[in-house]
Amino acid sequence: MESSTGELVSALNSYWQAFIVKLPAIALGLLVLMLTLWLAGRLSAALLKPIGYLSSSPLLRSVSQRALSLIFILFALYVFLKLSGLTEFAVAIMSGTGVLGLILGFAFRDIAENMIASLLLTVQRPFRIDDVVQINNYTGVVQKVTTRATTLVDFDGNHIQIPNAVIYKGTIKNLTANPKMRGQFTLGIGYDADCQQAQRLALQLIGEHPNVLKEPEPLVLVDELGSATVNIKVYFWINVENTSVIKMASVLMRDLVELFTAKGISMPDDAREVIFPQGVPVTMVNNPEQVSEQKEPVKQSPVSEPKAVAEKRTAAHDDVSSENDDIRRQAEEARAPEQGANILS
């Protein structure tokens, strides 16, 4: 028992003596590491400054500066471990085969993936700040792009953060890259109606609206034959920067319903309405003897010619303005959920 205690004390004493001998080297290595951590950013920025003209992208400069800083820090860590007598551990760290390297690799895999994706997005630029985009199932205005995620403000005012790796591997639909957008809707008219007349009236009304573009020209086509209606599909083009496609479709549908009603073009219900083209004669009977008498059918009074719907519904009465600017203002006024720097200019 005394022999074992003596060996333990002797071993601890030898370790302590070795630590005392190594203490100056450990202190020097620690000093080198601390100085490197403090100066890595400044030193990497100074080294990259002469070649900064090669790219104006802030993300490329940021990633390059961070990569160079990481190299300096790893080298300083290697020097510290080497001076501390942990040569094998230092080699394992530098070669990336150590357990710590594997743990860090798994821990920072998503971070590295998002950073690389943000770098590729900055180089390819599928969208810019304030663009209205649809990413997978999310639609909104691009508010901010950092090295981790992209922030959208949707049309309900909600902030949506999407990881850059998901964006890069997903489907991106830029709704403002081309300001011209096509809207469409369907109206059903009765089988007793004149399809060509309905098409001409609809095309004339749509073409007269000041917010509908003349080029590409609008189209009114027979789409399908329903159970009770002939379905007519209307296509029109607008500039999404000043006109809302859903508001414009609402206004055109309302005006077409009024126009078709005034022109006597029926729009029957698909399930409940039955059309009698010649009308249904009704005779009031005062006594039973008059039942057998032949009465002239009641004639429908002709529908008076109304003024053009385009004159009655002018652009001044209809708000078809685009919501894009409103959402952009909301994005500017809202608090950014993430404090990282915006990497898209």
Side-chain angles (χ1 to χ4, degrees), residues 151-166:
T151 302
L152 300 182
V153 179
D154 67 8
F155 288 90
D156 293 328
N158 302 313
H159 285 76
I160 303 172
Q161 285 188 313
I162 309 175
N164 289 327
V166 174

Side-chain angles (χ1 to χ4, degrees), residues 23-71:
L23 190 58
I26 293 175
L28 178 61
L30 186 61
L31 179 62
V32 171
L33 181 60
M34 297 301 293
L35 286 175
T36 304
L37 290 174
W38 183 51
L39 295 174
R42 297 177 177 86
L43 184 59
S44 58
L47 291 176
L48 292 174
K49 190 174 181 180
I51 58 175
Y53 67 92
L54 295 177
S55 175
S56 60
S57 172
L59 178 60
L60 288 176
R61 293 196 296 267
S62 175
V63 171
S64 302
Q65 183 174 340
R66 290 186 182 184
L68 197 56
S69 300
L70 182 61
I71 293 174

Side-chain angles (χ1 to χ4, degrees), residues 314-325:
T314 61
H317 295 88
D318 299 321
D319 178 19
V320 294
S321 60
S322 174
E323 306 95 343
N324 294 353
D325 291 337

Side-chain angles (χ1 to χ4, degrees), residues 109-174:
R109 181 185 62 182
D110 292 339
I111 297 176
E113 185 180 17
N114 287 324
M115 182 175 291
I116 294 174
S118 65
L119 178 63
L120 295 174
L121 288 174
T122 305
V123 173
Q124 297 178 2
R125 289 184 178 272
F127 50 78
R128 297 180 298 182
I129 299 298
D130 290 337
D131 276 0
V132 180
V133 298
Q134 179 180 338
I135 299 173
N136 296 335
N137 295 324
Y138 302 103
T139 302
V141 176
V142 180
Q143 181 198 35
K144 194 174 189 180
V145 181
T146 66
T147 55
R148 192 191 74 81
T150 296
T151 302
L152 300 182
V153 179
D154 67 8
F155 288 90
D156 293 328
N158 302 313
H159 285 76
I160 303 172
Q161 285 188 313
I162 309 175
N164 289 327
V166 174
I167 295 176
Y168 187 75
K169 292 184 290 187
T171 303
I172 304 173
K173 184 177 181 180
N174 195 322

